[in-house]
Amino acid sequence: MRDDPRARGGPRTTIVDVTSRIEIRGRDHEGGTPVSVEHRGRPRSEKSRLAVLKATAGLLVDGGYEDLTIEGIAASAGVGKQTIYRWWGSKASVVVEALAEGYLQAPLAAPADTGDLRGDLREWLLGLKAEIEAPEMSRLLQAIMSALTSASETSSAIHEALIQPIMSGLDARFGAHDAARPGELAAKPDFLAEAMGASLLLHVMFARPLTAEWIDQLLDLVVPRSP
Amino acid sequence: MRDDPRARGGPRTTIVDVTSRIEIRGRDHEGGTPVSVEHRGRPRSEKSRLAVLKATAGLLVDGGYEDLTIEGIAASAGVGKQTIYRWWGSKASVVVEALAEGYLQAPLAAPADTGDLRGDLREWLLGLKAEIEAPEMSRLLQAIMSALTSASETSSAIHEALIQPIMSGLDARFGAHDAARPGELAAKPDFLAEAMGASLLLHVMFARPLTAEWIDQLLDLVVPRSP
Amino acid sequence: MRDDPRARGGPRTTIVDVTSRIEIRGRDHEGGTPVSVEHRGRPRSEKSRLAVLKATAGLLVDGGYEDLTIEGIAASAGVGKQTIYRWWGSKASVVVEALAEGYLQAPLAAPADTGDLRGDLREWLLGLKAEIEAPEMSRLLQAIMSALTSASETSSAIHEALIQPIMSGLDARFGAHDAARPGELAAKPDFLAEAMGASLLLHVMFARPLTAEWIDQLLDLVVPRSP
Amino acid sequence: MRDDPRARGGPRTTIVDVTSRIEIRGRDHEGGTPVSVEHRGRPRSEKSRLAVLKATAGLLVDGGYEDLTIEGIAASAGVGKQTIYRWWGSKASVVVEALAEGYLQAPLAAPADTGDLRGDLREWLLGLKAEIEAPEMSRLLQAIMSALTSASETSSAIHEALIQPIMSGLDARFGAHDAARPGELAAKPDFLAEAMGASLLLHVMFARPLTAEWIDQLLDLVVPRSP
DNA sequence: CACTAATCGAGACGGTACGTCTTGTCTTAAT
DNA sequence: ATTAAGACAAGACGTACCGTCTCGATTAGTG
């Protein structure tokens, strides 16, 4: 939510709530002048929505995706099950929205920029290594990956919310480097970003250790050693 | 698994059934030399074992991992539930064994070897593109990925059964090339294999299209254009 | 109910809505002379009230009492749920009012009067037999009986609306007969009415067949054979 | 259950479990001589069955039929919901069986026999009056009547379990009297029983008071005053 | 050959969660 | 103040599976 001043009273679409419920009515039910109405009935409760996302995040972190249940979310959020089914429709959808709204802080923020591309990436990977090895974080990653693969519809949503940002961040760094020192990179920036991001993510998915040696090899591939 | 040249019907444990219940059998179910060791009671039914794996493969292909149930497998295989729980203990274990025994033919065999590395990889990727776009195959891939992420214990098993072979295949090709024409590759062979495999797998996982353009970019990264 | 000559649209309470919320209304919804009394706000919609009763009757006939829901009534009547809760408060109340207002024509009208008591009763019972055997009617009877037993508060209301009329009809016939030919009846008229009505209703409730033999036996009990 | 030495291990049919699950298998699954088998798998748990009936009776007495839920029964009996659905299939069925097995002691046992028919019936009715006026008993009666009308299939079951015994008891008494003093009764014994039973039951159903006056009137109808 | 022991298919068991349905309340804008 | 609309918390519905258990029936080895 954060800085999103969504107007109250209007039914809103979530990331996954593709079929918008808003219908324009040309006319009221009994007589009167044609009015353009946006909705009738009680508006969606923003309070409940946030409670659901928050509860989901909490349960996910300490319990994993498999043990996460709609009933559990509802109970923990103090919300009726129907409210969840009305607006999300599946466990994965809720997780995706919680991710998108920042309730699940995935430990994969963009690398810093000190001007030294290789150094920055290296720092970033080493930081990730530390973060990922925390059991809480590893459970969260597992959970996100599960949400991903459990429902094909959410796959693109997660790709946008989680994968894309990483790729974009890397892409921007490679792009800037390429602009400053043309010809130094082995391939087009966006592609380097993908190769590096993919290697990293697959590594994380399979819970393989991010050794310093592996990191150096990865860097060798995508960015030339400083002369 | 790996270097376990398990003779059909011989004493075996499953991949993931860590706490093996059967250590040594006196005799094969059908044929083989009698080995006298302590063991009493009815021996495990190989027939049932195969029926389970076969049923699992079938149900997985048309239904996906989420809809796969132990009860469904048992019913479809004409087997008691207890038999499954006795020998496997979890859904993922069965899937992994079915995969390992080749009942689930993942469409990611190794590239051919015509001497032209770039050309071979290109052909391989184009073949994959065609295969992956078949709905049946895409369902299977989704299923495998789900089995992977649903249970962390199986993660390494699948990595070995599915990911490793691809990586190894690529690694061998890159290694051979490197030996023949040292210095031509941008990085160490095993690492090129990983970068390429990871990019590919992530692409497949997220069901993103394998365009010809993307393929060429990927090749540019890992193998030099023929002069 | 009974002696409540309720003018359409005038101030009314329902049969069971004990705590009447509306005492006096200034004016009818449609037409009628303005009566100046304290009352503010939108008046109750007679249209909605009738729509509810009609919808209830319809749903009850094809679906039975168990499948009747407040939501269903509201939707079918094009009325808000709150309107029903405001004015009736329970499913049974609506059914009772629908019954009282004649929307549910129970097939138990009074017997004709041709002067021949036994013959009249016989004709009446034979007519009932035919009616009751129609599946639609049997469903309605079941529904009414269910409404009866489901809520103890409505029990007396239904007794008044459904049972009493029958009993009264019979009582009047027996009474007239007794006045005309004193001493011919086996018991006091009101009691004969009850015995006969009760036998009949229990028979109907348990969906037992009204055979000609049974009818004759019943008549033998309560009214002497014509000499 | 009580004195019913139902053989253990065989699936049993309840009153309402019309479709027996027993199938005769001519032959075992894999080879062997033809065997006539009565069942396979774990036998039905008599313990669970009794727990369900007992819990139902308890909940019914203090709570009524409306508030009785399958979930409540299951929880109270320490039984899975599926066990109830497997063997009964509806709330009413359970209630009917509980009634049939004597867990719900309906307060309508047969009248005593002191040789004085009218006196016995009078005592019986006065006893009922006292019993019925107890709030616990009135709740139970309501509950039984609700179970009756809520499901048409159970109607005949309840008729057999509850109504029939009363009718039979009365019938026997009237029959004996008729045999001893022919011509004294106003109608055939079975019919007197029905008229009297019906009057009584309808009275009870509608929770109308059993006044002494009403009792005497009823008796006047069906049994002659002692000379 | 009998006996012992482990497995087999079958299916009932106590549970948990599902996704749907309904209840009775509440909150809008419109009348 | 009442209306239609419809979201809300609550909780029961009936179903589907879980993983365990308890049957009778196999099917080997051991005595």
Side-chain angles (χ1 to χ4, degrees):
Chain A
M1 217 64 236
R2 292 172 305 276
D3 52 352
D4 182 334
R6 247 179 281 263
R8 236 176 165 264
R12 62 180 299 288
T13 56
T14 67
I15 292 176
V16 291
D17 191 6
V18 183
T19 59
S20 168
R21 281 153 215 270
I22 298 174
E23 331 167 23
I24 303 297
R25 301 281 180 84
R27 208 180 179 307
D28 192 341
H29 177 253
E30 17 185 334
T33 41
V35 199
S36 108
V37 179
E38 235 187 41
H39 83 106
R40 311 238 269 159
R42 186 180 183 170
R44 177 174 186 183
S45 160
E46 182 68 7
K47 187 175 141 198
S48 293
R49 185 181 145 263
L50 296 180
V52 166
L53 297 180
K54 195 171 176 185
T56 299
L59 293 172
L60 205 47
V61 168
D62 51 53
Y65 187 80
E66 297 284 283
D67 291 356
L68 183 69
T69 64
I70 298 273
E71 289 203 332
I73 297 171
S76 166
V79 144
K81 285 167 66 178
Q82 198 58 250
T83 298
I84 298 180
Y85 283 108
R86 181 157 30 233
W87 300 109
W88 288 280
S90 85
K91 214 166 60 167
S93 306
V94 186
V95 173
V96 167
E97 182 163 338
L99 181 66
E101 302 250 334
Y103 284 87
L104 294 167
Q105 199 61 359
L108 300 166
D113 186 354
T114 67
D116 171 19
L117 176 57
R118 185 174 178 116
D120 288 347
L121 293 177
R122 189 181 170 78
E123 280 311 304
W124 178 59
L125 289 171
L126 287 172
L128 281 180
K129 176 180 159 64
E131 278 189 284
I132 284 168
E133 276 156 10
E136 176 180 304
M137 215 39 103
S138 110
R139 213 158 344 134
L140 179 55
L141 277 173
Q142 271 280 326
I144 291 172
M145 288 299 163
S146 290
L148 189 170
T149 46
S150 70
S152 59
E153 330 97 43
T154 64
S155 141
S156 65
I158 291 215
H159 194 272
E160 274 171 34
L162 178 66
I163 315 294
Q164 212 75 277
I166 298 171
M167 299 300 194
S168 299
L170 291 175
D171 190 15
R173 290 305 311 273
F174 284 120
H177 188 93
D178 195 44
R181 313 182 183 204
E184 206 176 276
L185 294 179
K188 280 166 56 183
D190 59 347
F191 202 70
L192 288 176
E194 179 169 319
M196 183 172 172
S199 283
L200 175 63
L201 284 167
L202 218 66
H203 235 72
V204 169
M205 272 185 65
F206 285 97
R208 308 199 91 70
L210 270 61
T211 63
E213 190 191 1
W214 181 86
I215 290 176
D216 281 330
Q217 266 187 315
L218 181 60
L219 291 175
D220 279 347
L221 179 61
V222 294
V223 58
R225 282 181 194 275
S226 321
Chain B
M1 221 67 239
R2 280 145 349 249
D3 52 351
D4 175 20
R6 189 176 339 134
R8 259 303 137 71
R12 65 181 304 286
T13 61
T14 67
I15 295 174
V16 291
D17 192 6
V18 183
T19 60
S20 171
R21 290 185 183 80
I22 299 176
E23 309 279 88
I24 301 180
R25 292 289 181 76
R27 204 184 185 299
D28 190 341
H29 177 254
E30 14 186 338
T33 41
V35 188
S36 67
V37 189
E38 29 69 49
H39 162 67
R40 313 229 288 157
R42 186 178 184 173
R44 176 174 185 182
S45 161
E46 182 68 5
K47 189 174 139 199
S48 293
R49 184 183 146 261
L50 296 180
V52 166
L53 296 180
K54 196 172 176 185
T56 300
L59 293 172
L60 204 48
V61 168
D62 52 52
Y65 186 80
E66 296 284 283
D67 292 356
L68 184 69
T69 65
I70 299 273
E71 290 207 328
I73 296 171
S76 168
V79 143
K81 284 166 65 177
Q82 197 59 249
T83 299
I84 297 181
Y85 282 108
R86 179 153 33 229
W87 300 110
W88 288 278
S90 86
K91 210 168 60 167
S93 308
V94 187
V95 173
V96 167
E97 182 165 338
L99 182 65
E101 302 253 330
Y103 284 89
L104 294 167
Q105 197 61 356
L108 300 166
D113 187 353
T114 68
D116 172 19
L117 176 58
R118 184 175 178 116
D120 289 347
L121 292 177
R122 189 181 168 78
E123 281 311 304
W124 179 59
L125 291 171
L126 288 172
L128 280 180
K129 175 180 159 66
E131 277 189 283
I132 283 167
E133 276 157 10
E136 178 180 303
M137 215 39 104
S138 107
R139 215 158 342 132
L140 179 55
L141 277 172
Q142 272 279 326
I144 291 173
M145 290 296 163
S146 291
L148 187 171
T149 47
S150 70
S152 59
E153 330 98 43
T154 66
S155 148
S156 66
I158 291 213
H159 194 270
E160 282 167 23
L162 178 66
I163 315 291
Q164 212 76 278
I166 298 170
M167 299 300 196
S168 300
L170 291 174
D171 190 15
R173 290 303 314 272
F174 283 120
H177 188 93
D178 195 43
R181 315 182 183 203
E184 205 177 277
L185 294 179
K188 280 166 55 184
D190 61 346
F191 201 70
L192 287 177
E194 178 169 321
M196 183 171 171
S199 282
L200 175 63
L201 285 167
L202 216 67
H203 236 72
V204 169
M205 274 185 63
F206 284 97
R208 309 200 89 71
L210 269 61
T211 63
E213 190 190 1
W214 181 86
I215 289 176
D216 281 330
Q217 267 188 313
L218 180 60
L219 290 175
D220 280 347
L221 179 61
V222 292
V223 59
R225 282 181 193 276
S226 320
Chain C
M1 221 67 231
R2 293 172 304 279
D3 53 352
D4 175 22
R6 189 178 338 134
R8 261 300 139 71
R12 66 181 303 286
T13 61
T14 67
I15 294 174
V16 290
D17 191 6
V18 183
T19 59
S20 170
R21 289 186 184 81
I22 299 176
E23 309 278 90
I24 302 182
R25 290 291 181 75
R27 204 185 184 300
D28 190 341
H29 177 253
E30 14 185 338
T33 41
V35 189
S36 68
V37 190
E38 29 72 48
H39 163 68
R40 314 226 290 157
R42 188 177 182 174
R44 175 174 186 183
S45 162
E46 181 68 7
K47 189 173 137 198
S48 293
R49 184 182 146 262
L50 297 180
V52 166
L53 296 181
K54 196 172 174 184
T56 300
L59 293 172
L60 204 48
V61 168
D62 50 53
Y65 187 80
E66 297 284 281
D67 291 356
L68 183 70
T69 63
I70 299 272
E71 289 207 328
I73 296 171
S76 167
V79 144
K81 283 167 64 179
Q82 197 57 250
T83 299
I84 297 180
Y85 281 109
R86 179 154 29 234
W87 300 108
W88 286 278
S90 86
K91 212 166 59 168
S93 308
V94 186
V95 173
V96 168
E97 182 164 338
L99 181 66
E101 302 250 330
Y103 284 89
L104 293 168
Q105 199 62 359
L108 300 166
D113 187 353
T114 68
D116 172 19
L117 176 58
R118 185 175 176 115
D120 287 349
L121 292 177
R122 189 180 168 80
E123 281 311 304
W124 180 59
L125 290 170
L126 288 172
L128 281 180
K129 176 181 158 65
E131 278 190 283
I132 284 167
E133 276 156 11
E136 177 179 305
M137 215 39 102
S138 107
R139 213 158 344 132
L140 178 54
L141 277 172
Q142 272 280 326
I144 291 174
M145 290 295 163
S146 291
L148 188 171
T149 47
S150 70
S152 59
E153 331 97 43
T154 65
S155 147
S156 65
I158 291 213
H159 194 271
E160 283 166 23
L162 178 65
I163 313 293
Q164 211 75 279
I166 298 171
M167 299 299 195
S168 301
L170 291 174
D171 190 15
R173 289 306 310 273
F174 284 119
H177 188 94
D178 194 44
R181 314 181 182 204
E184 208 178 274
L185 295 179
K188 280 167 57 184
D190 60 346
F191 201 70
L192 288 177
E194 179 168 320
M196 183 172 171
S199 282
L200 176 64
L201 285 167
L202 216 67
H203 235 72
V204 168
M205 273 185 63
F206 283 98
R208 307 198 93 71
L210 271 59
T211 62
E213 190 191 0
W214 182 86
I215 289 176
D216 281 329
Q217 267 187 313
L218 181 60
L219 291 176
D220 281 346
L221 178 63
V222 294
V223 57
R225 280 182 195 275
S226 321
Chain D
M1 222 60 236
R2 293 173 303 278
D3 51 351
D4 181 334
R6 247 178 281 262
R8 245 192 153 253
R12 62 180 300 287
T13 55
T14 69
I15 293 177
V16 291
D17 192 5
V18 183
T19 58
S20 168
R21 281 153 215 270
I22 297 174
E23 330 168 24
I24 303 298
R25 299 281 180 84
R27 208 181 180 306
D28 191 341
H29 178 253
E30 14 185 336
T33 42
V35 198
S36 112
V37 179
E38 235 187 39
H39 82 105
R40 311 239 267 158
R42 184 179 185 172
R44 177 175 184 182
S45 161
E46 182 68 6
K47 188 175 140 200
S48 293
R49 185 180 145 264
L50 296 180
V52 165
L53 296 181
K54 195 171 175 185
T56 300
L59 293 171
L60 204 47
V61 168
D62 52 53
Y65 187 80
E66 297 285 283
D67 291 356
L68 183 70
T69 64
I70 298 273
E71 289 203 332
I73 296 171
S76 167
V79 143
K81 284 166 67 176
Q82 199 58 247
T83 298
I84 298 181
Y85 283 109
R86 182 157 29 232
W87 300 108
W88 288 279
S90 83
K91 213 167 57 169
S93 305
V94 186
V95 173
V96 167
E97 183 163 338
L99 181 66
E101 303 250 333
Y103 285 88
L104 293 167
Q105 198 62 358
L108 300 166
D113 186 353
T114 68
D116 171 19
L117 176 58
R118 183 173 179 118
D120 288 349
L121 292 177
R122 189 179 168 79
E123 281 311 303
W124 179 58
L125 290 170
L126 288 172
L128 282 180
K129 176 180 158 66
E131 278 191 282
I132 285 167
E133 276 157 9
E136 176 181 303
M137 215 39 102
S138 108
R139 213 157 346 131
L140 178 54
L141 277 173
Q142 272 280 326
I144 291 174
M145 291 297 161
S146 291
L148 188 171
T149 46
S150 70
S152 60
E153 332 96 42
T154 65
S155 140
S156 65
I158 291 215
H159 194 271
E160 274 171 35
L162 179 65
I163 314 292
Q164 212 76 277
I166 298 171
M167 299 299 194
S168 300
L170 291 175
D171 190 13
R173 290 306 310 272
F174 284 121
H177 188 92
D178 195 42
R181 316 183 183 201
E184 208 177 275
L185 294 178
K188 281 166 54 184
D190 60 345
F191 201 70
L192 288 176
E194 178 169 321
M196 183 173 170
S199 282
L200 175 63
L201 285 167
L202 217 67
H203 234 73
V204 168
M205 273 185 63
F206 284 97
R208 309 198 90 71
L210 270 60
T211 62
E213 190 192 1
W214 181 86
I215 290 176
D216 282 329
Q217 265 187 317
L218 181 60
L219 291 175
D220 281 346
L221 179 62
V222 292
V223 57
R225 281 181 194 275
S226 319

